[in-house]
Amino acid sequence: MTHQAKGRRIRFVLPGENPDPAANARPVSSVRCPGRPARQEKPDVTVAGPVHRFQQAQVPVARVGYWDLMFTEQFMVWSSRFWRLLQEGGVPTLGPLETAFTKAGIRPALGPFDALMTILALEKKRPRLAAAELTAPLIPDEKRLLFVLSTQSQRMRCAVLANLMSCQGAMLAKPVIAEIGQALDGAGYTIPNRQWDFPELATVLDLHPDLTPAAV
């Protein structure tokens, strides 16, 4: 990742990233996000990690991996991994993440995103997630994070949050999830509502057979 500060360009080389800028840097300005207005595609920066693949294979949802995701999904997963890397590395600032969110045009989402990641990190219901390589295969809880950010179904979201955290944590998480969603929508980003095969979703659908993940 390259950061502009006081006339200097500073490159952050992260674990799992090739230190050669040409091997990792991908121009954000060349990325076209579905539904994102052309007038917003102006940043001419480079961010290592998320990249939209225009020719995506139709992959069964159980096998969806990092490189099968849309740009917004990749960015959120990448950001969650970067957040954990910063925490484990003892970095006292979100400066590098702020640069990424600002260049992507979703700076208002950083505060609530940091709050959501902090809630997840403090939860004792599940083992704390270790930092992963930035483009490693997806783990189930990262898919759950994408789901709660995309679904409009209160029942579905509550079922997944109950799997991830305590009732108190879920109560704290709901408003910040809504803020993240508003910031993404305001910038023209969308997260597709995938039919993830979580056991808790199957339970909800058994109880409410007419319900779909997109339903309210």
Side-chain angles (χ1 to χ4, degrees), residues 163-175:
N163 189 298
L164 284 171
M165 59 186 68
S166 64
C167 292
Q168 183 178 6
M171 289 179 64
L172 294 173
K174 288 177 184 179

Side-chain angles (χ1 to χ4, degrees), residues 101-181:
F101 273 68
T102 300
K103 297 302 184 182
I106 51 173
R107 174 61 182 80
L110 179 59
F113 175 80
D114 178 45
L116 177 60
M117 293 302 298
T118 300
I119 293 168
L120 289 169
L122 294 176
E123 273 294 323
K124 300 185 183 302
K125 184 170 182 177
R126 300 170 75 86
R128 181 174 179 177
L129 295 179
E133 290 187 6
L134 295 181
T135 56
L138 291 174
I139 61 174
D141 281 354
E142 289 173 335
K143 296 177 181 180
R144 288 182 168 90
L145 174 62
L146 293 176
F147 182 84
V148 298
L149 291 174
S150 68
T151 185
Q152 298 299 312
S153 169
Q154 297 297 323
R155 288 191 181 94
M156 294 291 192
R157 181 181 295 132
C158 288
V160 172
L161 286 176
N163 189 298
L164 284 171
M165 59 186 68
S166 64
C167 292
Q168 183 178 6
M171 289 179 64
L172 294 173
K174 288 177 184 179
V176 297
I177 289 170
E179 289 183 50
I180 295 171

